[in-house]
PDB file of all heavy atoms in Angstrom:
ATOM      1  N   SER A 562     144.875 139.819 -34.233  1.00 68.00           N
ATOM      2  CA  SER A 562     146.109 139.140 -33.848  1.00 68.00           C
ATOM      3  C   SER A 562     147.285 139.583 -34.723  1.00 68.00           C
ATOM      4  O   SER A 562     148.408 139.698 -34.249  1.00 68.00           O
ATOM      5  CB  SER A 562     145.925 137.628 -33.915  1.00 68.00           C
ATOM      6  OG  SER A 562     145.589 137.254 -35.220  1.00 68.00           O
ATOM      7  N   GLU A 563     147.006 139.858 -35.997  1.00 74.00           N
ATOM      8  CA  GLU A 563     148.080 140.352 -36.874  1.00 74.00           C
ATOM      9  C   GLU A 563     148.561 141.721 -36.409  1.00 74.00           C
ATOM     10  O   GLU A 563     149.757 141.997 -36.360  1.00 74.00           O
ATOM     11  CB  GLU A 563     147.587 140.475 -38.308  1.00 74.00           C
ATOM     12  CG  GLU A 563     147.606 139.162 -39.065  1.00 74.00           C
ATOM     13  CD  GLU A 563     146.971 139.314 -40.437  1.00 74.00           C
ATOM     14  OE1 GLU A 563     146.999 140.438 -40.989  1.00 74.00           O
ATOM     15  OE2 GLU A 563     146.448 138.317 -40.942  1.00 74.00           O
ATOM     16  N   ALA A 564     147.591 142.574 -36.042  1.00 77.00           N
ATOM     17  CA  ALA A 564     147.946 143.912 -35.577  1.00 77.00           C
ATOM     18  C   ALA A 564     148.789 143.830 -34.321  1.00 77.00           C
ATOM     19  O   ALA A 564     149.786 144.538 -34.176  1.00 77.00           O
ATOM     20  CB  ALA A 564     146.678 144.721 -35.308  1.00 77.00           C
ATOM     21  N   ASP A 565     148.419 142.912 -33.404  1.00 75.00           N
ATOM     22  CA  ASP A 565     149.170 142.782 -32.156  1.00 75.00           C
ATOM     23  C   ASP A 565     150.601 142.330 -32.430  1.00 75.00           C
ATOM     24  O   ASP A 565     151.551 142.859 -31.862  1.00 75.00           O
ATOM     25  CB  ASP A 565     148.480 141.775 -31.227  1.00 75.00           C
ATOM     26  CG  ASP A 565     147.169 142.322 -30.708  1.00 75.00           C
ATOM     27  OD1 ASP A 565     147.100 143.538 -30.480  1.00 75.00           O
ATOM     28  OD2 ASP A 565     146.217 141.548 -30.556  1.00 75.00           O
ATOM     29  N   ALA A 566     150.739 141.336 -33.308  1.00 75.00           N
ATOM     30  CA  ALA A 566     152.067 140.802 -33.584  1.00 75.00           C
ATOM     31  C   ALA A 566     152.935 141.850 -34.281  1.00 75.00           C
ATOM     32  O   ALA A 566     154.080 142.082 -33.906  1.00 75.00           O
ATOM     33  CB  ALA A 566     151.963 139.545 -34.433  1.00 75.00           C
ATOM     34  N   LEU A 567     152.368 142.494 -35.293  1.00 82.00           N
ATOM     35  CA  LEU A 567     153.125 143.509 -36.036  1.00 82.00           C
ATOM     36  C   LEU A 567     153.443 144.700 -35.136  1.00 82.00           C
ATOM     37  O   LEU A 567     154.561 145.220 -35.136  1.00 82.00           O
ATOM     38  CB  LEU A 567     152.318 143.965 -37.260  1.00 82.00           C
ATOM     39  CG  LEU A 567     153.032 144.966 -38.171  1.00 82.00           C
ATOM     40  CD1 LEU A 567     154.237 144.307 -38.830  1.00 82.00           C
ATOM     41  CD2 LEU A 567     152.088 145.516 -39.235  1.00 82.00           C
ATOM     42  N   GLY A 568     152.451 145.114 -34.342  1.00 81.00           N
ATOM     43  CA  GLY A 568     152.646 146.249 -33.438  1.00 81.00           C
ATOM     44  C   GLY A 568     153.758 145.974 -32.448  1.00 81.00           C
ATOM     45  O   GLY A 568     154.640 146.808 -32.238  1.00 81.00           O
ATOM     46  N   ALA A 569     153.758 144.769 -31.869  1.00 80.00           N
ATOM     47  CA  ALA A 569     154.793 144.411 -30.892  1.00 80.00           C
ATOM     48  C   ALA A 569     156.166 144.422 -31.560  1.00 80.00           C
ATOM     49  O   ALA A 569     157.142 144.899 -30.995  1.00 80.00           O
ATOM     50  CB  ALA A 569     154.496 143.038 -30.303  1.00 80.00           C
ATOM     51  N   GLY A 570     156.212 143.907 -32.797  1.00 81.00           N
ATOM     52  CA  GLY A 570     157.479 143.876 -33.517  1.00 81.00           C
ATOM     53  C   GLY A 570     157.995 145.270 -33.808  1.00 81.00           C
ATOM     54  O   GLY A 570     159.150 145.596 -33.528  1.00 81.00           O
ATOM     55  N   LEU A 571     157.119 146.124 -34.333  1.00 85.00           N
ATOM     56  CA  LEU A 571     157.527 147.489 -34.672  1.00 85.00           C
ATOM     57  C   LEU A 571     157.909 148.271 -33.423  1.00 85.00           C
ATOM     58  O   LEU A 571     158.872 149.029 -33.416  1.00 85.00           O
ATOM     59  CB  LEU A 571     156.396 148.209 -35.413  1.00 85.00           C
ATOM     60  CG  LEU A 571     156.182 147.787 -36.857  1.00 85.00           C
ATOM     61  CD1 LEU A 571     155.000 148.548 -37.440  1.00 85.00           C
ATOM     62  CD2 LEU A 571     157.428 148.039 -37.686  1.00 85.00           C
ATOM     63  N   ALA A 572     157.154 148.045 -32.331  1.00 83.00           N
ATOM     64  CA  ALA A 572     157.432 148.788 -31.103  1.00 83.00           C
ATOM     65  C   ALA A 572     158.812 148.441 -30.564  1.00 83.00           C
ATOM     66  O   ALA A 572     159.528 149.314 -30.070  1.00 83.00           O
ATOM     67  CB  ALA A 572     156.367 148.492 -30.044  1.00 83.00           C
ATOM     68  N   SER A 573     159.205 147.172 -30.684  1.00 81.00           N
ATOM     69  CA  SER A 573     160.525 146.844 -30.141  1.00 81.00           C
ATOM     70  C   SER A 573     161.635 147.350 -31.062  1.00 81.00           C
ATOM     71  O   SER A 573     162.768 147.527 -30.623  1.00 81.00           O
ATOM     72  CB  SER A 573     160.665 145.352 -29.859  1.00 81.00           C
ATOM     73  OG  SER A 573     160.004 144.596 -30.792  1.00 81.00           O
ATOM     74  N   MET A 574     161.313 147.591 -32.319  1.00 88.00           N
ATOM     75  CA  MET A 574     162.327 148.170 -33.208  1.00 88.00           C
ATOM     76  C   MET A 574     162.385 149.690 -33.068  1.00 88.00           C
ATOM     77  O   MET A 574     163.378 150.307 -33.440  1.00 88.00           O
ATOM     78  CB  MET A 574     161.982 147.860 -34.665  1.00 88.00           C
ATOM     79  CG  MET A 574     162.330 146.476 -35.121  1.00 88.00           C
ATOM     80  SD  MET A 574     162.088 146.394 -36.887  1.00 88.00           S
ATOM     81  CE  MET A 574     160.414 145.858 -36.992  1.00 88.00           C
ATOM     82  N   GLY A 575     161.290 150.261 -32.547  1.00 89.00           N
ATOM     83  CA  GLY A 575     161.090 151.709 -32.570  1.00 89.00           C
ATOM     84  C   GLY A 575     162.289 152.536 -32.185  1.00 89.00           C
ATOM     85  O   GLY A 575     162.739 153.403 -32.949  1.00 89.00           O
ATOM     86  N   ILE A 576     162.862 152.265 -30.988  1.00 89.00           N
ATOM     87  CA  ILE A 576     163.924 153.153 -30.523  1.00 89.00           C
ATOM     88  C   ILE A 576     165.190 153.001 -31.363  1.00 89.00           C
ATOM     89  O   ILE A 576     165.962 153.935 -31.486  1.00 89.00           O
ATOM     90  CB  ILE A 576     164.239 152.935 -29.037  1.00 89.00           C
ATOM     91  CG1 ILE A 576     164.597 151.484 -28.785  1.00 89.00           C
ATOM     92  CG2 ILE A 576     163.098 153.378 -28.159  1.00 89.00           C
ATOM     93  CD1 ILE A 576     165.362 151.321 -27.499  1.00 89.00           C
ATOM     94  N   TYR A 577     165.371 151.809 -31.947  1.00 92.00           N
ATOM     95  CA  TYR A 577     166.568 151.626 -32.780  1.00 92.00           C
ATOM     96  C   TYR A 577     166.410 152.389 -34.096  1.00 92.00           C
ATOM     97  O   TYR A 577     167.366 152.943 -34.627  1.00 92.00           O
ATOM     98  CB  TYR A 577     166.835 150.141 -33.008  1.00 92.00           C
ATOM     99  CG  TYR A 577     167.007 149.408 -31.703  1.00 92.00           C
ATOM    100  CD1 TYR A 577     165.996 148.603 -31.196  1.00 92.00           C
ATOM    101  CD2 TYR A 577     168.147 149.595 -30.934  1.00 92.00           C
ATOM    102  CE1 TYR A 577     166.135 147.980 -29.980  1.00 92.00           C
ATOM    103  CE2 TYR A 577     168.307 148.979 -29.709  1.00 92.00           C
ATOM    104  CZ  TYR A 577     167.291 148.167 -29.231  1.00 92.00           C
ATOM    105  OH  TYR A 577     167.416 147.564 -28.015  1.00 92.00           O
ATOM    106  N   MET A 578     165.162 152.417 -34.594  1.00 92.00           N
ATOM    107  CA  MET A 578     164.918 153.215 -35.795  1.00 92.00           C
ATOM    108  C   MET A 578     165.095 154.696 -35.482  1.00 92.00           C
ATOM    109  O   MET A 578     165.676 155.442 -36.261  1.00 92.00           O
ATOM    110  CB  MET A 578     163.513 152.930 -36.332  1.00 92.00           C
ATOM    111  CG  MET A 578     163.382 151.498 -36.832  1.00 92.00           C
ATOM    112  SD  MET A 578     161.955 151.191 -37.864  1.00 92.00           S
ATOM    113  CE  MET A 578     160.642 151.133 -36.714  1.00 92.00           C
ATOM    114  N   LEU A 579     164.623 155.083 -34.298  1.00 92.00           N
ATOM    115  CA  LEU A 579     164.801 156.469 -33.861  1.00 92.00           C
ATOM    116  C   LEU A 579     166.287 156.809 -33.828  1.00 92.00           C
ATOM    117  O   LEU A 579     166.718 157.865 -34.313  1.00 92.00           O
ATOM    118  CB  LEU A 579     164.189 156.639 -32.467  1.00 92.00           C
ATOM    119  CG  LEU A 579     164.363 158.003 -31.804  1.00 92.00           C
ATOM    120  CD1 LEU A 579     163.509 159.034 -32.493  1.00 92.00           C
ATOM    121  CD2 LEU A 579     164.009 157.935 -30.330  1.00 92.00           C
ATOM    122  N   MET A 580     167.084 155.877 -33.299  1.00 92.00           N
ATOM    123  CA  MET A 580     168.518 156.109 -33.219  1.00 92.00           C
ATOM    124  C   MET A 580     169.110 156.262 -34.618  1.00 92.00           C
ATOM    125  O   MET A 580     169.927 157.162 -34.867  1.00 92.00           O
ATOM    126  CB  MET A 580     169.196 154.946 -32.485  1.00 92.00           C
ATOM    127  CG  MET A 580     170.692 155.075 -32.370  1.00 92.00           C
ATOM    128  SD  MET A 580     171.404 153.846 -31.286  1.00 92.00           S
ATOM    129  CE  MET A 580     171.487 152.436 -32.352  1.00 92.00           C
ATOM    130  N   ALA A 581     168.671 155.399 -35.529  1.00 93.00           N
ATOM    131  CA  ALA A 581     169.192 155.465 -36.895  1.00 93.00           C
ATOM    132  C   ALA A 581     168.866 156.812 -37.527  1.00 93.00           C
ATOM    133  O   ALA A 581     169.721 157.446 -38.160  1.00 93.00           O
ATOM    134  CB  ALA A 581     168.607 154.320 -37.727  1.00 93.00           C
ATOM    135  N   VAL A 582     167.631 157.283 -37.321  1.00 93.00           N
ATOM    136  CA  VAL A 582     167.223 158.555 -37.913  1.00 93.00           C
ATOM    137  C   VAL A 582     168.034 159.705 -37.321  1.00 93.00           C
ATOM    138  O   VAL A 582     168.538 160.570 -38.049  1.00 93.00           O
ATOM    139  CB  VAL A 582     165.700 158.791 -37.689  1.00 93.00           C
ATOM    140  CG1 VAL A 582     165.318 160.204 -38.084  1.00 93.00           C
ATOM    141  CG2 VAL A 582     164.898 157.774 -38.472  1.00 93.00           C
ATOM    142  N   VAL A 583     168.189 159.683 -35.994  1.00 92.00           N
ATOM    143  CA  VAL A 583     168.958 160.743 -35.342  1.00 92.00           C
ATOM    144  C   VAL A 583     170.395 160.755 -35.871  1.00 92.00           C
ATOM    145  O   VAL A 583     170.948 161.812 -36.184  1.00 92.00           O
ATOM    146  CB  VAL A 583     168.937 160.566 -33.810  1.00 92.00           C
ATOM    147  CG1 VAL A 583     169.975 161.466 -33.153  1.00 92.00           C
ATOM    148  CG2 VAL A 583     167.561 160.891 -33.267  1.00 92.00           C
ATOM    149  N   LEU A 584     170.974 159.579 -36.002  1.00 92.00           N
ATOM    150  CA  LEU A 584     172.358 159.510 -36.484  1.00 92.00           C
ATOM    151  C   LEU A 584     172.484 160.006 -37.916  1.00 92.00           C
ATOM    152  O   LEU A 584     173.491 160.583 -38.312  1.00 92.00           O
ATOM    153  CB  LEU A 584     172.892 158.083 -36.379  1.00 92.00           C
ATOM    154  CG  LEU A 584     173.260 157.640 -34.970  1.00 92.00           C
ATOM    155  CD1 LEU A 584     173.803 156.229 -34.979  1.00 92.00           C
ATOM    156  CD2 LEU A 584     174.287 158.583 -34.371  1.00 92.00           C
ATOM    157  N   LEU A 585     171.426 159.773 -38.694  1.00 93.00           N
ATOM    158  CA  LEU A 585     171.429 160.197 -40.095  1.00 93.00           C
ATOM    159  C   LEU A 585     171.398 161.721 -40.184  1.00 93.00           C
ATOM    160  O   LEU A 585     172.133 162.340 -40.945  1.00 93.00           O
ATOM    161  CB  LEU A 585     170.193 159.614 -40.779  1.00 93.00           C
ATOM    162  CG  LEU A 585     170.319 159.229 -42.247  1.00 93.00           C
ATOM    163  CD1 LEU A 585     171.383 158.162 -42.405  1.00 93.00           C
ATOM    164  CD2 LEU A 585     168.987 158.740 -42.767  1.00 93.00           C
ATOM    165  N   VAL A 586     170.538 162.329 -39.340  1.00 92.00           N
ATOM    166  CA  VAL A 586     170.351 163.772 -39.398  1.00 92.00           C
ATOM    167  C   VAL A 586     171.453 164.500 -38.631  1.00 92.00           C
ATOM    168  O   VAL A 586     172.009 165.488 -39.098  1.00 92.00           O
ATOM    169  CB  VAL A 586     168.959 164.144 -38.838  1.00 92.00           C
ATOM    170  CG1 VAL A 586     168.736 165.644 -38.912  1.00 92.00           C
ATOM    171  CG2 VAL A 586     167.879 163.421 -39.629  1.00 92.00           C
ATOM    172  N   ARG A 587     171.754 163.986 -37.425  1.00 90.00           N
ATOM    173  CA  ARG A 587     172.801 164.609 -36.616  1.00 90.00           C
ATOM    174  C   ARG A 587     173.777 163.532 -36.156  1.00 90.00           C
ATOM    175  O   ARG A 587     173.602 162.947 -35.095  1.00 90.00           O
ATOM    176  CB  ARG A 587     172.189 165.320 -35.399  1.00 90.00           C
ATOM    177  CG  ARG A 587     171.015 166.186 -35.818  1.00 90.00           C
ATOM    178  CD  ARG A 587     170.741 167.324 -34.941  1.00 90.00           C
ATOM    179  NE  ARG A 587     171.871 167.993 -34.352  1.00 90.00           N
ATOM    180  CZ  ARG A 587     171.728 169.115 -33.663  1.00 90.00           C
ATOM    181  NH1 ARG A 587     170.533 169.639 -33.508  1.00 90.00           N
ATOM    182  NH2 ARG A 587     172.766 169.705 -33.139  1.00 90.00           N
ATOM    183  N   PRO A 588     174.804 163.291 -36.944  1.00 88.00           N
ATOM    184  CA  PRO A 588     175.693 162.153 -36.695  1.00 88.00           C
ATOM    185  C   PRO A 588     176.324 162.175 -35.309  1.00 88.00           C
ATOM    186  O   PRO A 588     176.736 161.148 -34.809  1.00 88.00           O
ATOM    187  CB  PRO A 588     176.765 162.285 -37.765  1.00 88.00           C
ATOM    188  CG  PRO A 588     176.135 163.112 -38.823  1.00 88.00           C
ATOM    189  CD  PRO A 588     175.181 164.023 -38.155  1.00 88.00           C
ATOM    190  N   LYS A 589     176.427 163.346 -34.672  1.00 87.00           N
ATOM    191  CA  LYS A 589     177.042 163.397 -33.351  1.00 87.00           C
ATOM    192  C   LYS A 589     176.011 163.382 -32.233  1.00 87.00           C
ATOM    193  O   LYS A 589     176.345 163.631 -31.074  1.00 87.00           O
ATOM    194  CB  LYS A 589     177.925 164.639 -33.231  1.00 87.00           C
ATOM    195  CG  LYS A 589     179.193 164.526 -34.057  1.00 87.00           C
ATOM    196  CD  LYS A 589     180.160 165.590 -33.672  1.00 87.00           C
ATOM    197  CE  LYS A 589     181.585 165.074 -33.779  1.00 87.00           C
ATOM    198  NZ  LYS A 589     182.553 166.037 -33.294  1.00 87.00           N
ATOM    199  N   GLY A 590     174.772 163.132 -32.562  1.00 87.00           N
ATOM    200  CA  GLY A 590     173.739 163.112 -31.533  1.00 87.00           C
ATOM    201  C   GLY A 590     173.039 164.453 -31.432  1.00 87.00           C
ATOM    202  O   GLY A 590     173.425 165.420 -32.090  1.00 87.00           O
ATOM    203  N   LEU A 591     172.002 164.532 -30.605  1.00 89.00           N
ATOM    204  CA  LEU A 591     171.192 165.744 -30.540  1.00 89.00           C
ATOM    205  C   LEU A 591     171.946 166.896 -29.889  1.00 89.00           C
ATOM    206  O   LEU A 591     171.816 168.041 -30.307  1.00 89.00           O
ATOM    207  CB  LEU A 591     169.909 165.457 -29.741  1.00 89.00           C
ATOM    208  CG  LEU A 591     168.931 164.487 -30.395  1.00 89.00           C
ATOM    209  CD1 LEU A 591     167.745 164.243 -29.484  1.00 89.00           C
ATOM    210  CD2 LEU A 591     168.456 165.022 -31.738  1.00 89.00           C
ATOM    211  N   PHE A 592     172.707 166.607 -28.834  1.00 86.00           N
ATOM    212  CA  PHE A 592     173.435 167.665 -28.128  1.00 86.00           C
ATOM    213  C   PHE A 592     174.901 167.263 -27.975  1.00 86.00           C
ATOM    214  O   PHE A 592     175.315 166.869 -26.894  1.00 86.00           O
ATOM    215  CB  PHE A 592     172.832 167.895 -26.734  1.00 86.00           C
ATOM    216  CG  PHE A 592     171.399 168.313 -26.760  1.00 86.00           C
ATOM    217  CD1 PHE A 592     170.386 167.377 -26.681  1.00 86.00           C
ATOM    218  CD2 PHE A 592     171.058 169.658 -26.865  1.00 86.00           C
ATOM    219  CE1 PHE A 592     169.057 167.763 -26.704  1.00 86.00           C
ATOM    220  CE2 PHE A 592     169.740 170.046 -26.879  1.00 86.00           C
ATOM    221  CZ  PHE A 592     168.731 169.101 -26.805  1.00 86.00           C
ATOM    222  N   PRO A 593     175.678 167.322 -29.047  1.00 81.00           N
ATOM    223  CA  PRO A 593     177.058 166.857 -28.954  1.00 81.00           C
ATOM    224  C   PRO A 593     177.854 167.674 -27.942  1.00 81.00           C
ATOM    225  O   PRO A 593     177.649 168.878 -27.791  1.00 81.00           O
ATOM    226  CB  PRO A 593     177.600 167.035 -30.367  1.00 81.00           C
ATOM    227  CG  PRO A 593     176.667 167.950 -31.044  1.00 81.00           C
ATOM    228  CD  PRO A 593     175.355 167.853 -30.369  1.00 81.00           C
ATOM    229  N   ALA A 594     178.772 167.002 -27.231  1.00 69.00           N
ATOM    230  CA  ALA A 594     179.537 167.676 -26.183  1.00 69.00           C
ATOM    231  C   ALA A 594     180.704 168.440 -26.776  1.00 69.00           C
ATOM    232  O   ALA A 594     180.986 169.560 -26.372  1.00 69.00           O
ATOM    233  CB  ALA A 594     180.034 166.658 -25.171  1.00 69.00           C
ATOM    234  N   ASN A 595     181.399 167.840 -27.735  1.00 56.00           N
ATOM    235  CA  ASN A 595     182.584 168.485 -28.287  1.00 56.00           C
ATOM    236  C   ASN A 595     182.189 169.315 -29.498  1.00 56.00           C
ATOM    237  O   ASN A 595     182.206 168.841 -30.624  1.00 56.00           O
ATOM    238  CB  ASN A 595     183.614 167.443 -28.715  1.00 56.00           C
ATOM    239  CG  ASN A 595     183.913 166.511 -27.572  1.00 56.00           C
ATOM    240  OD1 ASN A 595     184.293 166.946 -26.497  1.00 56.00           O
ATOM    241  ND2 ASN A 595     183.700 165.225 -27.793  1.00 56.00           N
TER     242      ASN A 595
END
Side-chain angles (χ1 to χ4, degrees):
Chain A
S562 60
E563 278 174 27
D565 291 325
L567 183 66
L571 286 178
S573 36
M574 281 189 269
I576 56 160
Y577 302 104
M578 294 196 284
L579 176 71
M580 179 171 81
V582 170
V583 167
L584 284 181
L585 213 61
V586 181
R587 312 206 36 173
K589 288 193 146 185
L591 293 177
F592 300 92
N595 306 304

